[in-house]
Amino acid sequence: MFSAILIEKSGTPPEVSATTVSEDALPEGDVTVDIAYSTLNYKDALAITGKSPVVRSFPMVPGIDLAGVVAESSHPDWSAGDKVVLNGWGVGETHWGGLAQRARVRGDWLIAQPAAFTARQAMAIGTAGYTASLCVEALAGHGLLPADGEILVTGATGGVGSVAIALLAAAGYTVAAATGKPAEAGYLKDLGASTVIDRAELAERGKPLQKERWAGVVDAAGSHTLVNASAQVRYGGAVAACGLAQGMDLPGTVAPFILRGVTLYGIDSVMAPTPRRIRAWERLARDLDPAALDTIATEVPLSEAIAAASRFIDGTVRGRLVVDVNR
C-alpha cells in the first residue's frame, strides 16, 4: 500500500481524497518509481478541483510531474537506484501520475535527474520551469541576443514566469515582468526582472500594431495578452507562447507577423521529444541558480495538496508548489 491523491469520479466537485492505494492497482509500465517529490501545476489544480476536464479516465492519481528513484525496471535504459524525473506525457491525465508515493510508467517517458539538482529542486522546477526553459530555448534559437532589447514575461509570478525571468536574467537578457500583483514587484526583481508592468496594460483589446517595445516575449496567458504582446514586438522578434491563463482565444490579426516579421513559437511541454527535454534541462542546470529555487518554491505535504489546489485556482499561489509525497 502507498499514499496517493485519488480522483475517483468526475463531477463538480469531483470525488477526490488523500488515501492509500494497493500497489496491485498501479497501471502498466516497465519502470516502477519510488517518488520523493511531486508538484502542483495549474493543470493539476484543474484536475483536482474539476474546473476543467483534464482527467480522461477514472480512477486517476493526478500529478504531471515526479522525481524519485527507480525501484524496478525492465526497460533497457533504467536500473534500480537510478534517479529520474518525469514531466508530462499524459501522466495525471490518462495515466496515473506523481501525487503519490509510487508510480509505474513507461521508461521512455523518463530522463535522468540532472546532477546539479536534488529531487526537491527538480520538482521546484517541474513542468512549469521545464516549459520556461523550452521558451527560452526557442527565443535563443531564434537568434535573439541580450543586446537586441527587453524580453517581456507575462504571468510573471507564476511558475513558468518565475523560472523564465531567472533563466533570462542569468543569460544576460533585460527582462520586463507583467503581473497583476504589484505587491510582488520585489519578488520579481529579486529573480532578475529589471522592470515590472501592470498586466492590465495588455489584458484588453488593443490595436493590431502598437509601439515596438520587446525583442521577444514569453507568454503564459494567451488571449488579449498574447495578441497585445505580439503587436508590441520589434521587427524580426519572436514570441514563445506556452499558456492560456487568460484564455484559449486569440482575438487578433496577422499584422505583427506579416508586417514586422514576428515569429510565434508554440511551446508544448507534454509531448516534446526527449532530445528537446534534455536540452531544456541542460539549460536549467547550467543557468538556473539553485538558490533561486528557495525563492520560487513553497513546499506542502501530500496531505495538504487538495487544499493547495484550490488556492492555485483562486490565484493566490506565487511561484512553484512542491509536494513532499512522503508526509
Side-chain angles (χ1 to χ4, degrees):
M1 303 293 288
F2 61 91
S3 297
I5 301 298
L6 193 65
I7 305 174
E8 297 187 75
K9 187 177 180 181
S10 62
T12 307
E15 294 182 10
V16 187
S17 61
T19 186
T20 54
V21 181
S22 169
E23 187 167 340
D24 294 338
L26 284 169
E28 292 184 1
D30 50 15
V31 180
T32 302
V33 179
D34 287 329
I35 301 172
Y37 290 93
S38 184
T39 70
L40 271 173
N41 295 279
Y42 187 62
K43 186 179 287 186
D44 302 319
L46 291 174
I48 291 169
T49 61
K51 296 295 184 181
S52 181
V54 170
V55 176
R56 309 297 176 83
S57 63
F58 298 89
M60 178 59 61
V61 174
I64 65 175
D65 290 326
L66 64 85
V69 178
V70 173
E72 301 173 4
S73 173
S74 59
H75 190 283
D77 291 347
W78 306 109
S79 302
D82 288 342
K83 296 179 179 180
V84 293
V85 171
L86 189 153
N87 308 113
W89 293 118
V91 298
E93 301 174 70
T94 60
H95 189 98
W96 282 19
L99 287 171
Q101 292 177 308
R102 182 160 273 214
R104 184 172 292 133
V105 299
R106 289 178 52 186
D108 290 345
W109 296 343
L110 299 169
I111 66 168
Q113 178 184 306
F117 302 122
T118 65
R120 186 188 185 280
Q121 289 171 333
M123 289 295 94
I125 294 166
T127 284
Y130 145 66
T131 301
S133 189
L134 289 173
C135 291
V136 176
E137 283 280 303
L139 298 184
H142 186 76
L144 294 181
L145 301 174
D148 291 329
E150 281 187 295
I151 306 295
L152 172 68
V153 176
T154 70
T157 60
V160 172
S162 295
V163 178
I165 292 168
L167 282 177
L168 288 163
Y173 294 92
T174 302
V175 183
T179 180
K181 302 174 181 177
E184 300 291 2
Y187 162 76
L188 296 171
K189 290 186 176 181
D190 286 345
L191 291 176
S194 296
T195 58
V196 178
I197 68 171
D198 190 336
R199 70 181 181 192
E201 295 181 25
L202 302 165
E204 303 296 334
R205 184 176 297 278
K207 295 179 180 179
L209 283 177
Q210 301 172 34
K211 181 180 178 181
E212 296 179 59
R213 300 178 66 180
W214 322 115
V217 177
V218 174
D219 177 65
S223 192
H224 289 293
T225 297
L226 174 55
V227 171
N228 286 318
S230 299
Q232 296 173 8
V233 171
R234 296 178 180 179
Y235 189 93
V239 179
C242 65
L244 44 73
Q246 187 180 11
M248 287 189 66
D249 58 325
L250 194 64
T253 75
V254 298
F257 313 111
I258 66 173
L259 298 179
R260 288 186 180 159
V262 173
T263 299
L264 178 60
Y265 291 99
I267 305 300
D268 167 59
S269 62
V270 177
M271 304 302 291
T274 298
R276 192 176 300 162
R277 293 169 180 264
I278 291 173
R279 287 196 301 272
W281 277 96
E282 286 175 344
R283 175 179 288 275
L284 288 158
R286 182 182 69 243
D287 291 349
L288 186 63
D289 181 359
L293 297 173
D294 293 332
T295 301
I296 293 170
T298 301
E299 183 177 315
V300 297
L302 185 67
S303 59
E304 296 179 12
I306 296 173
S310 295
R311 297 200 303 273
F312 219 120
I313 297 298
D314 293 340
T316 57
V317 171
R318 183 184 80 179
R320 302 281 294 129
L321 282 179
V322 176
V323 180
D324 183 346
V325 300
N326 294 300
R327 66 180 181 95

